[in-house]
Amino acid sequence: MHGHPGTDRHPGAAGRRAPASRGTATALRASDGAGAPAVARPARPGDVDILSLLGAPPRPTPAPPAFLVVAATADEPAGRRRRAAYARLRRDEFAGRQGLFAGSDRDARDDDPATIVLVAVATDADEESVLGGVRLHPEGGDPGLGWWRGSRLVVDEAAGRLRGSVGAALVRAACARALDAGALRFDAHVQARHVAFFGRLGWQRIRPITVAGGPHELLRWPIDRIAQLAAATKQPLGGLLGAMLPSDRWRGDDGYPLDAVRAAGGGSTGVVACLDAIVPSMVQQDPEWAGWCGMLVTAHDLAAMGARPLAALDALGARDAAHAARVLAGLRAGAAALDLPLVGGHTQLGVPAALSVTGTGVAARPIAASGGRAGDALTVTADLVGGWRPGYHGRQWDSSTHRSREELRAMLDAIAVAGPRAAKDVSMAGIVGTTGMLAEASGTGATLDVAAVPRPAGASGGDWLTCFPGFAVVTADAADAAPLPAGPATGAACGRLDAAPGVRLRWPDGDVTDALTGGVTGLDHATDR
């Protein structure tokens, strides 16, 4: 950002980060240079002050914030007025006082509808006053890529003692807004004299650059969305399960070939078994979808190991028969569509909602997640047709409920037909996390080219790379291997396995960022591969 943020003299600002929660506006107290949110709300009819009833002295009324950071949209009058005021501040500062531009600092990003403008508006003036602003915009030629940059940060000299607080608030609000837009990388081009200010707000220095003939630094806001997802969904598995699981080639897979546990000389059956459970809250709140997904993820686990379906069993807990019937309706529909017959199981009523499905299939040559090796090409194959499941926007992509049985079968048989060296279906850890799990099992790391990963139109990079994407599988194979014959799904080579642990993201400008710095599950790699 061509920063002119003022001076942040408040030590409490050092190291603070933007809120992880999503939001488009932030209210800040003038006295709080760290940008702490104003949490008090006006009294409402019926509110009772319990402390005063107990004899405590009246509490002072919190002072209203001196300014608000809000989005200035171009489609309504107030937003247009605020954008105009922000443009005047920018022109006066960057073209006038600093002389970085001749006449005007406007550029093509000001006319891009994807550009977001945030302004700080004074709340204690008789007439609305814009104290400062900042803009953020997508980079890399693709608004959904997940790469954003903040720029043109400016604070009015007239803000006086508030300048440091306003600058810090605008930067933090821009970070939060970038996260809300699905950013996995957020950069700023910062004038050298303002680098320390951004450093106190948690930004990282990348390298010196030159902008408009002047010395700047490329700074980056650390975004750990992928690492947080992996930590929440997969990281505890090593400590919980590592000691009890064999270290054979199937370590880290979602299924297991029964031949691996049969007595010597017992002959080969080719049977693969797997088990999946659905999040209880989903079973409770969306029972038909939970039933469908129970069959879907079970079919995916079998398919990722190159197994064709035999049969499934379910274990269902429900509060009553009516709720159980709704889950069973989803199970039946999924069983028919996915060609995975549901042949029995266990149902218990009067208990909290719960669902798990055990699946069996047959594979002449099961495919392990541990079969990759450094140098192998990584391919992501996904069904991009569909949309976000209502109630799960940005988290669950429904690409299956509209597909015919024949279309689903073509996708599910792709691993068995192609026989790649390693494969893993994408689960709750998302595309990047699942790539990390395959690499971990193979004793390697991975680098993904973000722009090459197949992605639906309208889905942000941050959402798509961390969601459950319906049908999607990550495979590792020789660079000249043929693409998966996955029917209507879209596949693309988008990275490689490499020697360094973890998963890195390569961006269109050649920069590489760390998404995961080590193994995803802690189960480590299979020792017998």
Side-chain angles (χ1 to χ4, degrees), residues 89-468:
L89 290 176
R90 282 172 40 182
R91 183 188 64 241
D92 292 347
E93 178 63 31
F94 301 124
R97 195 177 72 85
Q98 295 189 32
L100 293 174
F101 304 96
S104 173
D105 71 325
R106 282 188 60 85
D107 60 23
R109 293 183 179 89
D110 289 308
D111 299 317
D112 185 347
T115 295
I116 298 168
V117 174
L118 303 175
V119 296
V121 179
T123 60
D124 56 357
D126 294 334
E127 186 173 326
E128 181 177 278
S129 173
V130 172
L131 301 177
V134 67
R135 66 180 186 178
L136 56 155
H137 37 82
E139 296 282 278
D142 180 357
L145 186 62
W147 175 16
W148 285 71
R149 183 162 69 88
S151 63
R152 301 296 199 271
L153 170 67
V154 64
V155 179
D156 193 350
E157 295 278 356
R161 64 182 181 83
L162 293 179
R163 292 184 67 223
S165 296
V166 171
L170 286 166
V171 172
R172 289 196 174 93
C175 293
R177 193 67 180 86
L179 292 176
D180 190 56
L184 294 173
R185 171 182 171 183
F186 188 40
D187 293 347
H189 299 166
V190 176
Q191 293 182 37
R193 60 197 174 100
H194 295 310
V195 168
F197 170 83
F198 279 80
R200 290 195 296 273
L201 298 176
W203 287 68
Q204 299 173 346
R205 299 177 70 168
I206 305 302
R207 58 180 174 270
I209 57 175
T210 299
V211 177
H216 286 63
E217 291 266 352
L218 172 62
L219 302 189
R220 186 161 295 148
W221 173 253
I223 296 176
D224 59 358
R225 176 174 178 174
I226 292 171
Q228 286 186 3
L229 177 64
T233 58
K234 301 296 181 180
Q235 198 172 70
L237 298 183
L240 292 171
L241 305 173
M244 63 183 287
L245 294 178
S247 293
D248 60 16
R249 63 183 301 210
W250 312 109
R251 189 177 180 89
D253 275 303
D254 293 321
Y256 201 83
L258 298 188
D259 286 347
V261 293
R262 287 172 62 84
S268 175
T269 65
V271 173
V272 174
C274 68
L275 174 66
D276 242 306
I278 300 300
V279 176
S281 59
M282 195 166 101
V283 183
Q284 177 66 37
Q285 298 168 12
D286 201 352
E288 292 87 356
W289 176 240
W292 175 273
C293 286
M295 300 305 297
L296 180 68
V297 295
T298 303
H300 284 177
D301 286 350
L302 294 171
M305 297 186 71
R308 290 186 168 92
L310 278 177
L313 303 164
D314 77 284
L316 170 62
R319 63 176 181 265
D320 53 35
H323 189 263
R326 295 178 64 187
V327 179
L328 289 167
L331 287 166
R332 285 194 301 271
L338 298 160
D339 199 21
L340 182 58
L342 191 62
V343 297
H346 178 79
T347 301
Q348 187 171 359
L349 303 180
V351 296
L355 175 64
S356 61
V357 178
T358 298
T360 59
V362 177
R365 187 177 72 86
I367 305 297
S370 65
R373 62 193 72 169
D376 280 354
L378 286 170
T379 297
V380 172
T381 304
D383 187 359
L384 307 184
V385 178
W388 297 116
R389 173 73 178 178
Y392 303 91
H393 186 90
R395 294 177 293 149
Q396 293 188 25
W397 181 264
D398 178 11
S399 62
S400 58
T401 55
H402 68 284
R403 288 295 188 190
S404 69
R405 184 173 180 173
E406 292 72 26
E407 290 173 323
L408 293 169
R409 187 77 266 136
M411 290 186 280
L412 294 171
D413 284 347
I415 299 295
V417 173
R421 288 175 180 165
K424 195 160 186 63
D425 66 299
V426 178
S427 62
M428 293 171 62
I431 288 173
V432 179
T434 299
T435 299
M437 294 167 71
L438 185 150
E440 181 181 19
S442 296
T444 70
T447 300
L448 285 173
D449 293 309
V450 181
V453 176
R455 174 172 47 86
S460 73
D463 287 345
W464 181 246
L465 295 180
T466 57
C467 76
F468 171 67

